[in-house]
Amino acid sequence: MSSTRPTERLAVRKTYKLYVGGAFPRSESGRSYVVHDAKGQFLANAALASRKDARDAVVAARKAFGGWSARTAYNRGQILYRVAEVMEGRRAQFVDEVAAGEGLRRAEAEAAVDESIDRWVWYAGWADKVGQVLGSTNPVAGPYFDFSMPEPTGVVAVLAPQQSSLLGLVSVLAPVITTGNTCVVLASADRPLPAVTLTEVLATSDLPGGVVNLLTGKVPEVAPWLAAHSDVNALDLTGTEDRELATELERAAADNLKRLVRVTDHTQDWTAAPGIDRMTAFLETKTVWHPMGI
């Protein structure tokens, strides 16, 4: 019996899809673009989102908002902690993708991934404490109880940081959903793979479909449709590196009175303690009066 030499295995080239409503559809336009690593080598193809994809993502986020915001804060915290657990199981893949996309040494990529996982745990712990910290019982001159309570704003469009493909992404995404909002996220255009892998984690972490919707593509092409969309309640411009574009997006957001997180510093240190500012940015305060003795 003659032996045959094993042939070299062909690489399976991937075309990553969007994440909308808990499913992984292709872009309705059928377009994709090539993603390279920091050295210019081919990594994969990613879907190039269009206006229609952005609109579909907003519809999915709005549909999921009622159920997600109605869940107990404790349950939302459990789900966020589950995200951290599943990410820990896929740590090696995240390290490979962060190292390739951002051109980091392996030790640096491992530190970024570990910090990203820890950040989910941090926000999971805050989920059932935000109401206690930001809520209040107000003194009034009358036979009434008067309570002020934080409530989620609604659908938030998030432009993720362009340079920090995972830690920056988690740092802007986690606070939005911790407090009961749903979101549409536009991932880093040149480094989208960690974001796409994160959606695979979210899809298997008990997070309801539509709470997080991820688009990949070009900020100047997709962001204006999100900024002008009347069913988007808030906009995070962190990933907008073009100042002229940021100004245009602010004007579009002002037309329908969106809450806005403006671009401040593109060299932000994402390893720093996050604080609660990004959670409070997308909260409303509801005040309730209730007669005593009833």
Side-chain angles (χ1 to χ4, degrees):
M1 184 175 181
S2 61
S3 61
T4 58
R5 294 181 60 186
T7 58
E8 183 178 350
R9 182 174 179 271
L10 296 177
V12 179
R13 294 200 167 191
K14 300 178 181 178
T15 298
Y16 287 98
K17 301 175 179 64
L18 309 175
Y19 182 61
V20 177
F24 292 91
R26 294 177 173 82
S27 171
E28 62 81 29
S29 67
R31 300 179 302 166
S32 63
Y33 68 101
V34 176
V35 179
H36 298 99
D37 65 14
K39 297 179 180 179
Q41 300 298 312
F42 175 87
L43 283 177
N45 297 298
L48 189 59
S50 66
R51 173 187 180 184
K52 178 63 165 54
D53 296 319
R55 292 172 61 186
D56 289 345
V58 173
V59 170
R62 176 59 63 189
K63 183 177 180 181
F65 174 70
W68 181 243
S69 60
R71 291 193 179 223
T72 65
Y74 179 74
N75 180 242
R76 289 199 298 268
Q78 288 179 310
I79 293 173
L80 266 59
Y81 190 84
R82 177 61 180 161
V83 173
E85 290 179 330
V86 180
M87 279 190 71
E88 187 74 39
R90 298 183 64 170
R91 180 177 179 273
Q93 180 181 359
F94 279 109
V95 170
D96 290 341
E97 291 175 346
V98 170
E102 299 182 24
L104 301 178
R105 296 192 299 271
R106 188 164 188 85
E108 294 173 326
E110 288 175 345
V113 172
D114 290 344
E115 186 68 31
S116 301
I117 296 170
D118 293 347
R119 191 137 301 175
W120 281 111
V121 175
W122 193 86
Y123 278 110
W126 266 102
D128 61 353
K129 299 172 182 65
V130 173
Q132 301 171 51
V133 173
L134 300 179
S136 64
T137 300
N138 309 313
V140 293
Y144 301 97
F145 292 112
D146 185 78
F147 306 105
S148 293
M149 298 167 287
E151 290 200 336
T153 294
V155 176
V156 181
V158 178
L159 308 184
Q162 296 299 305
Q163 306 304 320
S164 182
S165 59
L166 183 63
L167 179 55
L169 169 67
V170 172
S171 298
V172 297
L173 167 60
V176 172
I177 64 174
T178 297
T179 53
N181 297 291
T182 57
C183 64
V184 178
V185 183
L186 183 57
S188 169
D190 295 331
R191 303 170 177 87
L193 300 194
V196 177
T197 301
L198 179 60
T199 63
E200 296 173 357
V201 168
L202 299 178
T204 55
S205 301
D206 298 328
L207 187 75
V211 172
V212 174
N213 304 275
L214 184 91
L215 306 176
T216 53
K218 308 303 180 183
V219 173
E221 183 175 350
V222 179
W225 301 116
L226 295 173
H229 200 299
S230 295
D231 207 22
V232 173
N233 304 110
L235 180 64
D236 184 344
L237 295 175
T238 299
T240 313
E241 297 185 344
D242 185 326
R243 292 189 179 274
E244 291 187 7
L245 176 61
T247 301
E248 293 176 9
L249 296 177
E250 288 181 18
R251 291 195 182 111
D255 283 343
N256 44 34
L257 303 179
K258 287 179 173 57
R259 283 180 173 266
L260 192 69
V261 172
R262 304 181 71 182
V263 179
T264 54
D265 183 7
H266 292 298
T267 61
Q268 182 170 347
D269 179 11
W270 295 109
T271 64
I276 65 171
D277 290 347
R278 286 189 175 274
M279 286 188 287
T280 60
F282 304 118
L283 288 173
E284 313 282 345
T285 299
K286 179 176 75 174
T287 299
V288 178
W289 295 68
H290 193 283
M292 292 182 180
I294 298 180

